[in-house]
Amino acid sequence: MNASILIIDDEKFIRNSIRHFLEDVNYTVFEAENGIKGISLFEDVHPDVVIVDLKMPELNGFEVLKIIVQSSPKTPVIVMSGTSVISDVVKSIQLGAWNYLLKPIMDLSILTQTIEKALKKAKEDKENVEYRKILEQKVAERTQKLEEANTKLSLSYKKLKENKIDLEKRVEERTKELVEINTELSIARDRADAATIAKSTFLANMSHEIRTPMNGVIAATDLALDEDVSPKTRKFLEIIKSSGNNLLSIINDILDLSKVEAGKLELCPHDFQFSELIDSISDLFISTAREKEIELIYDIDPNLPEIMTGDKTRIKQIFTNLIGNSFKFTEKKGLIKLNIGFKRINTNKILFKGSVYDNGIGITANQQKKLFKAFSQADISTTRKFGGSGLGLALCKQLLEMMNGSIFVTSEVKKETTFSFSFELNIPNTPSKDDGFFLKNKKNHAMILDSNDENITILQNQLQYLGFNVDMVSSSNEILNIDRNKLNKYDIFFVEWINKKDGLEMSYLLKETIKIKSPVIPMISLSKTDFLNIKDKDRYKSFLYKPFHRESLKKTIYKAFDKLSDKHQNKQLIKSDKEIFKNLDILVVEDNPVNQKLAIAILKKVGAVITIAENGLVAVDTLKQRSFDIVLMDIQMPEMDGHKATKIIREDLNLKEIPIIAMTAHALKGDREKCFESGMNHYISKPISRDRLFEVILDCLQKNNTVSI
């Protein structure tokens, strides 16, 4: 039987249109021209679906809807209206309308779809009612069965009670067995802890035994390099120093990887300046860049925060391993590029994103699978040719994961390799300092002469960040073709030094022949700095050494304009002024004869007065007799170690103010904390850098108000 539809609408044209359309699709259609007739017809024919208009005379659609829903809640009512007032829609739905359609209905198939859905819903409701009756019957049957089952359970309770007694007896026996097993496990755990302690002690001792002679090798080499030696001897000394630093790097990697695997390595976050970190990394590769004539480029986002909070030592370790790896596998006159950017996570945290690219030998897909495993190299033949312990990349991966980061590699054999990495860093709430000189007040003009498009782009971005308008040329001929009056509009010139013709000679031509008054800054790569002679260095106020970064560029510009800030001037003063160390009375507590001699040589060279104590006991006795300006304290010594000696100095001798600096070859977890707990002011790990030693001494003296810097 076909479904019946009742149409209630005061517009005859609409009723006829809908009726003809619905009859064509086999619906039985009834129609009424107003609400009163519609209600009457509804009660007579009981249609399956009602379509009602809202705006009608006598009895409007809302009233008709309300009457139909009250008398037959299961009959779907579709409301039609010529207006889209939201309140009408809401009211219709609240009164029980199945749907709300806008007139005119341009596509009547929408109406049939709505009717079909309404009929389907009505059918489902009817079936649900029948299904509910069936469910109620089944629930009743199930309830009866459950009552029967409950009776059976009651009968079983007695048996369960009897089983309980037997089960308790078994539990008691099993508990006794578990106590015995736990006792055995406790003994095994104690043995494992003892083995871990033994391993840590062994690592500490190995660190001390290896670092102590390394301290002698590196420090003695530094002293020798300060002397007036022949070029041949200097070359040999530089090889010794480079080899010593390479060996120290391997030692550090072995110890650090062991600490990571044993869960003994912890990050020590603190505020640091990124520019200082990147400068210290550049210094490590100067000799290698010169030897292999490799171009090292930094492309650093100029918006990167300068002050960050993180473990500076571990971050430097990651950079050093990755860049060192590229130097190792890049042939002569190759290119290495460090890209650095960041993504802000929130106000106080960034995701630091970096990559190290080189155009070296490349890595096959199979070799890439082994890269981040400890003691594993790409392949044995590569290892023989290029060397390496296979620890650096494994350690980088571990350290990055500790900092919520990651690392991956992409490579094309015989063409290029890129190591991409990321890690999280906090940004302290340190207000940014105004550069004073820079460009927030005016726009300066800069000219760049460089044959390398990538170098030009990097320098252009950095200068524009500092507020410069920048023009670029790629050859000296282009500059010579520019009118001299136009050249004079530039406030500063950056000129690449490749050879005398395109570099320093061009700089000289600008200054002496064209009579440019603005500063001219030659740009020179790390690999070419040893080609500069004294006359070249004296001719210009400053050089821009590549690779450069935002802060080194700023310092270069400051110097060129004689605007070096007080902070930078003070830093230079500290490094050059030996008056601070002159007659400084230092007690060096060190049991190793080689290190004693080196300490005397290093410190006497800057005018300090040195007294040696071969162990902690002698140091305590010496301090009982007279005072010193500062104490350099070794940790592992016979008779009395540095920790115990420091506690006696602080507590028994009541010498609270004298600065005590730990000098130790220990480099394991907790060593630094133990030094501070025993009363020391600072900590230096062996082998000791001469510059680092001076820096720490000055820091302690300044904090102690011993000197004014």
Side-chain angles (χ1 to χ4, degrees), residues 2-19:
N2 295 336
S4 58
I5 311 296
L6 172 59
I7 303 170
I8 306 174
D9 196 310
D10 59 336
E11 295 186 45
K12 184 175 181 181
F13 173 75
I14 292 176
R15 292 199 311 273
N16 289 339
S17 299
I18 294 174
R19 177 172 57 80

Side-chain angles (χ1 to χ4, degrees), residues 1-8 28-31 38-51 68 71-72 74-77 119 122:
M1 182 177 178
N2 295 336
S4 58
I5 311 296
L6 172 59
I7 303 170
I8 306 174
T28 301
V29 181
F30 303 96
E31 57 180 279
I39 293 297
S40 176
L41 188 57
F42 174 81
E43 293 172 350
D44 291 340
V45 300
H46 300 292
D48 296 306
V49 177
V50 177
I51 300 172
I68 292 175
S71 65
S72 180
K74 300 299 182 182
T75 302
V77 179
L119 290 170

Side-chain angles (χ1 to χ4, degrees), residues 396-642:
C396 285
K397 182 175 184 293
Q398 298 272 17
L399 291 174
L400 286 165
E401 288 174 352
M402 290 177 68
M403 293 186 280
N404 297 322
S406 62
I407 184 170
F408 65 91
V409 62
T410 56
S411 184
E412 189 173 341
V413 178
K414 296 182 180 180
K415 186 175 181 182
E416 61 186 15
T417 299
T418 301
F419 284 91
S420 301
F421 58 95
S422 64
F423 56 92
E424 291 182 3
L425 281 175
N426 290 327
I427 304 301
N429 292 319
T430 306
S432 59
K433 295 181 180 179
D434 188 3
D435 293 325
F437 170 71
F438 280 109
L439 327 165
K440 293 171 186 175
N441 300 322
K442 67 170 184 173
K443 279 280 184 181
N444 289 287
H445 290 77
M447 168 70 78
I448 303 172
L449 167 60
D450 199 312
S451 59
N452 186 305
D453 290 340
E454 192 160 26
N455 279 333
I456 288 178
T457 301
I458 293 170
L459 181 56
Q460 178 189 15
N461 291 338
Q462 297 287 352
L463 287 171
Q464 287 176 342
Y465 175 80
L466 294 175
F468 280 89
N469 287 317
V470 183
D471 291 324
M472 298 87 64
V473 293
S474 58
S475 72
S476 55
N477 289 332
E478 290 185 58
I479 286 187
L480 295 175
N481 289 331
I482 299 175
D483 183 82
R484 293 190 181 187
N485 292 327
K486 289 184 178 179
L487 284 176
N488 282 322
K489 80 172 184 177
Y490 294 100
D491 299 285
I492 193 167
F493 292 81
F494 293 88
V495 181
E496 177 195 22
W497 183 51
I498 301 175
N499 52 49
K500 290 291 183 181
K501 181 179 180 181
D502 279 341
L504 292 179
E505 188 174 293
M506 187 66 227
S507 304
Y508 183 79
L509 184 65
L510 286 169
K511 296 295 291 183
E512 305 300 331
T513 304
I514 303 179
K515 302 296 183 183
I516 293 296
K517 296 180 180 179
S518 300
V520 177
I521 299 179
M523 300 183 293
I524 185 166
S525 297
L526 280 180
S527 59
K528 299 181 176 66
T529 52
D530 55 343
F531 296 139
L532 289 174
N533 56 45
I534 295 174
K535 186 182 289 186
D536 292 332
K537 292 180 180 178
D538 291 342
R539 185 174 290 161
Y540 303 95
K541 287 185 177 181
S542 61
F543 288 81
L544 181 61
Y545 295 101
K546 299 184 288 185
F548 61 86
H549 51 82
R550 181 184 63 202
E551 296 304 313
S552 63
L553 177 61
K554 284 164 63 176
K555 290 177 186 177
T556 301
I557 297 172
Y558 276 135
K559 191 173 180 182
F561 285 103
D562 294 320
K563 298 288 185 179
L564 198 62
S565 67
D566 292 339
K567 176 183 174 183
H568 298 137
Q569 288 173 352
N570 287 339
K571 190 171 181 181
Q572 290 184 341
L573 179 64
I574 289 170
K575 289 183 178 179
S576 61
D577 191 358
K578 296 182 180 179
E579 290 300 317
I580 295 170
F581 287 93
K582 189 175 181 180
N583 297 323
L584 191 67
D585 204 356
I586 302 177
L587 175 62
V588 177
V589 189
E590 170 65 64
D591 64 313
N592 185 283
V594 174
N595 288 339
Q596 291 174 1
K597 293 175 183 177
L598 290 170
I600 293 172
I602 292 171
L603 294 168
K604 276 192 173 182
K605 199 165 187 176
V606 290
V609 178
I610 309 302
T611 301
I612 297 292
E614 58 266 27
N615 58 54
L617 187 60
V618 176
V620 171
D621 291 339
T622 304
L623 284 164
K624 286 179 181 177
Q625 298 171 22
R626 71 182 187 86
S627 63
F628 291 86
D629 294 319
I630 198 162
V631 177
L632 303 180
M633 181 75 72
D634 189 21
I635 298 300
Q636 185 170 316
M637 296 178 290
E639 297 193 48
M640 183 183 289
D641 65 27

Side-chain angles (χ1 to χ4, degrees), residues 171 187 211 215 272 324 332 422 491 539 548 583 591 665 673:
V171 168
I187 294 171
R211 287 172 183 269
N215 184 57
F272 67 92
K332 258 196 166 189
S422 64
D491 299 285
R539 185 174 290 161
F548 61 86
N583 297 323
D591 64 313
E673 290 75 14

Side-chain angles (χ1 to χ4, degrees), residues 659-702:
I660 301 177
I661 299 172
M663 299 189 306
T664 176
H666 289 104
L668 297 180
K669 175 186 175 183
D671 290 336
R672 181 187 295 268
E673 290 75 14
K674 288 177 184 176
C675 292
F676 294 145
E677 287 171 7
S678 64
M680 298 181 187
N681 301 83
H682 225 302
Y683 174 102
I684 305 177
S685 179
K686 293 179 181 177
I688 293 168
S689 160
R690 179 179 51 185
D691 291 340
R692 175 61 177 159
L693 176 61
F694 292 162
E695 181 183 335
V696 170
I697 290 174
L698 288 169
D699 183 56
C700 286
L701 292 175
Q702 190 175 22

